[in-house]
Amino acid sequence: MKIQELKQDGKYILSINGRIDTKTAPIFQGKLEEIINSTKENNETINLVLDFKGIDYVSSAGLRAILYVQKRINSMSGSTMILDNVNSTVMEVLEMTGFTEFLTIGTQI
Amino acid sequence: MEEALKTIVQKYTDVKDWDEGYDMLCKFLDRIRVDKIQKSKMCIVCDEIYSNISRYAYVKKKGKIEMHFKFDTKNSNFTVTFVDSGVEYNPTKREIPDITKPLSEREPGGLGLFIVNNIMDSVEYQRVYGKNYLKLEKKIQTNQKFKEEVL
């Protein structure tokens, strides 16, 4: 898994390539935690965009990381998180687990 | 006529070994010319089971996971059987998580086997002579080129 960062038009875009699985999910979560912690320390807000265009699949370990990060983002007034360019396999997993009910998924970039 | 393709992979349990298991699975699925979507789904399923066994089957000791892949060309059934000698654990008896709960009430965990059950057509567990056998089956589509090659 590779993560590329880009700050553009007030958005913090993370482009993820590969798979978010049992092995890579802690790295994915760690990166997001680092960004969120830095945002909180600076008393800022964040518009986080997770670009999933290069994602092969997300396992339940990845879902746990997304769940954790979304909870943290919700606790930060004015901050948002969007999952963008979600492929059909990832979307199916998000739908079957009910994650589409509380995640924002769309084409925002 | 080759009626079934079969590959057997035997591996030691460790989360870091999943890369190799993943490669073997992909090679098998590529051989039967499965499309990207079905391939991703089978990878998710095997990832979930592999990581589950890696973390819970063997307490304070290193053990083995075997992954047996099979594709039956007669009925287009892909079968993967996981075998381990760890503690007895029947994942088909696991409680189904409530996926209707709002974010604030969601707890991490429990989704892996739920996903597996949703993707696969059948999930069967057996404990035989101190080993766990978890057999997962799914009817999958292969492309015409594969059928021409094999049938």
Side-chain angles (χ1 to χ4, degrees):
Chain A
M1 184 191 67
K2 284 181 183 170
I3 303 175
Q4 286 182 311
E5 296 171 60
L6 174 70
K7 287 181 183 176
Q8 190 181 61
D9 303 328
K11 293 181 181 115
Y12 201 127
I13 303 167
L14 287 182
S15 301
I16 303 118
N17 280 279
R19 53 186 205 267
I20 309 179
D21 59 12
T22 185
K23 186 181 171 186
T24 59
I27 301 163
F28 170 69
Q29 184 171 324
K31 183 68 202 171
L32 290 165
E33 272 189 286
E34 185 186 304
I35 293 165
I36 290 168
N37 289 342
S38 166
T39 305
K40 283 192 90 167
E41 279 167 19
N42 295 321
N43 291 316
E44 294 170 342
T45 58
I46 190 166
N47 295 312
L48 195 58
V49 178
L50 303 181
D51 184 1
F52 274 21
K53 192 177 180 181
I55 288 282
D56 295 324
Y57 70 82
V58 178
S59 75
S60 64
L63 294 183
R64 277 196 294 276
I66 292 169
L67 180 75
Y68 171 80
V69 172
Q70 185 65 69
K71 280 184 175 180
R72 287 207 61 189
I73 289 285
N74 286 6
S75 72
M76 295 161 66
S77 181
S79 291
T80 60
M81 182 172 84
I82 291 165
L83 269 63
D84 209 354
N85 294 316
V86 175
N87 69 35
S88 63
T89 309
V90 175
M91 184 57 106
E92 197 177 323
V93 170
L94 294 176
E95 281 171 349
M96 79 171 65
T97 53
F99 272 48
T100 46
E101 295 301 311
F102 51 74
L103 294 178
T104 308
I105 301 163
T107 308
Q108 298 290 323
I109 295 177
Chain B
M1 183 188 291
E2 192 177 6
E3 289 187 350
L5 297 174
K6 205 173 192 177
T7 292
I8 297 173
V9 184
Q10 185 165 305
K11 301 202 43 60
Y12 288 93
T13 53
D14 192 316
V15 171
K16 71 177 188 293
D17 284 340
W18 168 239
D19 279 344
E20 202 178 327
Y22 171 81
D23 288 343
M24 296 297 283
L25 172 63
C26 287
K27 275 181 192 166
F28 187 83
L29 294 171
D30 286 343
R31 195 174 159 209
I32 57 174
R33 297 180 186 276
V34 172
D35 68 33
K36 198 179 169 184
I37 292 173
Q38 294 180 103
K39 188 174 165 181
S40 293
K41 286 181 184 176
M42 294 308 105
C43 288
I44 293 170
V45 165
C46 291
D47 181 321
E48 298 295 354
I49 301 298
Y50 196 100
S51 65
N52 226 38
I53 298 171
S54 297
R55 278 181 285 173
Y56 306 119
Y58 300 102
V59 183
K60 293 178 183 174
K61 64 172 185 174
K62 206 166 172 72
K64 286 179 183 176
I65 298 175
E66 293 171 31
M67 288 196 294
H68 302 241
F69 306 129
K70 184 184 166 191
F71 180 68
D72 190 328
T73 51
K74 269 187 176 174
N75 55 19
S76 286
N77 267 351
F78 171 68
T79 309
V80 54
T81 306
F82 286 83
V83 185
D84 70 79
S85 307
V87 294
E88 184 171 358
Y89 177 63
N90 183 353
T92 63
K93 299 282 185 199
R94 196 180 165 118
E95 200 177 320
I96 298 168
D98 183 356
I99 57 154
T100 63
K101 279 185 178 174
L103 177 66
S104 57
E105 293 173 28
R106 286 290 193 116
E107 295 291 337
L111 289 173
L113 294 168
F114 177 77
I115 292 169
V116 169
N117 280 309
N118 269 274
I119 290 177
M120 301 309 282
D121 295 333
S122 75
V123 179
E124 290 171 24
Y125 170 80
Q126 273 189 310
R127 179 82 175 176
V128 182
Y129 295 118
K131 286 187 176 185
N132 295 306
Y133 291 81
L134 188 65
K135 184 181 172 189
L136 308 132
E137 241 177 20
K138 174 84 174 171
K139 191 178 275 296
I140 54 175
Q141 299 295 319
T142 58
N143 75 9
Q144 192 57 34
K145 197 172 175 186
F146 171 75
K147 287 174 186 163
E148 286 165 5
E149 282 171 2
V150 176
L151 301 177

